[in-house]
Amino acid sequence: MRSHSSSRQPWPNWLAAVAAGVLIVAPTVCSAQSAELAGVHYPTTQKLDGQEMVLNGSGISYRAVAKLYTVALYVPRKSNKASAIMGEAGPRQLRIVMLQAMRVDELNRVINTGIEANSSRDEFFTLVPAIQKMSDQFGLLPRLTKGSVITIDGSPKQGTMLALNGNPMGPAIEDPRLFNAILRVWLGDKPNSEVLKDALLSYTPPPVLNALD
């Protein structure tokens, strides 16, 4: 988690709630890259803006030993480098499938605090209007149940679009920086989990050498 300097201006009430939520929602994550994950089937391709995207990687988010959700990343071209994914000009998608019931505000906090942790102070505050629109859309959802599917689409034509079980959560959020800011929750320099980051990038760490050899 990122510490907050006392020199900052007081946050709006919803941002203060986000910060407070970090202490409550701090899941550890274990993951694996697969098209079949914890009983969830992720097809190898998806389409957005009429363009085919491929499954780049997928993983499971845990809190302690409890499986919370799976997440998959779709991109036009596979890459194991976060910088290449961030620089992609085509459509991209994050697809989250709940493995247990969860309050909507918990997932919203995970995303908002991850954006804050991976943004400069100035960038974060310029993103606040777009983040607020996203939070407003999350706030209209019922409690997430096991099997709920949330998609976050990054469309070069329309912006960032959120949907629950295929139904749009609201209009596209036009700020072109928002989708990459959301991606950095899992792929940034301070990701939600390094292990999940590796899974989404289909990266396999080299084996640890035996120190006794």
Side-chain angles (χ1 to χ4, degrees), residues 31-58:
S31 54
Q33 191 277 319
S34 175
E36 191 74 34
L37 193 62
V40 176
H41 175 69
Y42 282 117
T44 54
T45 62
Q46 294 281 358
K47 276 194 173 181
L48 180 61
D49 290 345
Q51 183 173 341
E52 189 171 88
M53 303 176 294
V54 296
L55 178 64
N56 201 74
S58 58

Side-chain angles (χ1 to χ4, degrees), residues 11-40:
W11 285 5
N13 289 338
W14 72 274
L15 277 178
V18 164
V22 181
L23 301 176
I24 301 170
V25 184
T28 57
V29 184
C30 179
S31 54
Q33 191 277 319
S34 175
E36 191 74 34
L37 193 62
V40 176

Side-chain angles (χ1 to χ4, degrees), residues 125-139:
F125 280 101
T126 60
L127 280 166
V128 163
I131 295 171
Q132 178 69 74
K133 290 178 182 178
M134 178 181 64
S135 295
D136 289 345
Q137 292 188 16
F138 272 111

Side-chain angles (χ1 to χ4, degrees), residues 96-116:
I96 298 169
V97 180
M98 304 308 301
L99 298 177
Q100 64 171 272
M102 186 178 187
R103 295 203 324 265
V104 176
D105 62 313
E106 287 189 76
L107 182 59
N108 190 36
R109 279 196 295 266
V110 169
I111 295 173
N112 286 336
T113 57
I115 291 175
E116 197 271 346

